[in-house]
Amino acid sequence: PIYFSLTAALDQTVRQDHSGGSWLLGLAASDIEFADTSPIIPSTIRSQFGSDQNIEVGRFLVLTAKFGYGYTFVWSKNWFLSLAAHVGGGQQRRIYRDATNERRGWHTASKLDAFLSTGYNGDRFFSGFTASGDATSYRTNSIEISSGLWAVNLFVGGRF
């Protein structure tokens, strides 16, 4: 590929022969849920958290549109370093409750994700390293909850 290739950067099923970048558009969906038999915020600091301080159960369904840029640096034909990042926003459906009340509603959501991939991608052999991260924020009426997922992978493979 001439421009940035996600498949070359992430799973090495193609090889990017030249450095190049591209604007990226995407959609992301997430579903996070938590539950406890007592409030999740410790009683010693609960008063700092407003009207939702006694929350015990929550579910947040999020759909975001994201926009970003990716670029792959290629040297000596087979060595590469790929970087990409997205930022986005969307809507979340929130359902949460304490011991006596259930609340439902809609709120805006934000999202940030990025990855790095580097290694060797040859005709018969490939090897490398990827690191990726994803952060999404969720809100009740008075609490902001942030979720992060980070992953690191080492890979080695051959072509037949």
Side-chain angles (χ1 to χ4, degrees), residues 49-54 96 98 103 141-142:
F49 287 87
S51 63
D52 300 322
Q53 62 185 275
N54 294 315
Y96 57 97
D98 57 26
R103 296 170 188 88
N141 286 335
S142 63

Side-chain angles (χ1 to χ4, degrees), residues 30 32 111-112 134-138 145-150:
S30 62
I32 186 169
K111 180 155 199 72
L112 172 66
D134 180 290
T136 305
S137 67
Y138 309 92
I145 301 166
S146 296
S147 168
L149 173 65
W150 309 101

Side-chain angles (χ1 to χ4, degrees), residues 104-143:
R104 295 172 177 263
W106 292 90
H107 198 275
T108 58
S110 61
K111 180 155 199 72
L112 172 66
D113 62 48
F115 78 84
L116 170 144
S117 180
T118 188
Y120 177 84
N121 195 354
D123 293 331
R124 305 289 295 158
F125 171 79
F126 58 91
S127 177
F129 163 87
T130 61
S132 60
D134 180 290
T136 305
S137 67
Y138 309 92
R139 291 193 60 83
T140 69
N141 286 335
S142 63
I143 300 171

Side-chain angles (χ1 to χ4, degrees), residues 11-99:
D11 66 15
Q12 287 68 49
T13 55
V14 298
R15 183 173 57 220
Q16 187 161 339
D17 296 323
H18 305 287
S19 296
S22 295
W23 293 105
L24 304 169
L25 294 173
L27 290 174
S30 62
D31 179 2
I32 186 169
E33 189 171 353
F34 59 85
D36 202 339
T37 57
S38 60
I40 63 168
I41 299 172
S43 60
T44 55
I45 60 170
R46 202 172 293 152
S47 63
Q48 301 172 29
F49 287 87
S51 63
D52 300 322
Q53 62 185 275
N54 294 315
I55 188 171
E56 296 175 355
V57 175
R59 184 170 187 193
F60 302 87
L61 303 163
V62 180
L63 181 63
T64 55
K66 51 188 191 167
F67 175 74
Y69 191 77
Y71 196 90
T72 296
F73 300 92
V74 176
W75 65 96
S76 298
K77 185 180 175 187
N78 296 323
W79 294 93
F80 68 94
L81 170 65
S82 296
L83 305 163
H86 291 97
V87 63
Q91 286 291 305
Q92 73 172 357
R93 173 71 169 142
R94 57 189 186 186
I95 304 162
Y96 57 97
R97 68 176 167 82
D98 57 26

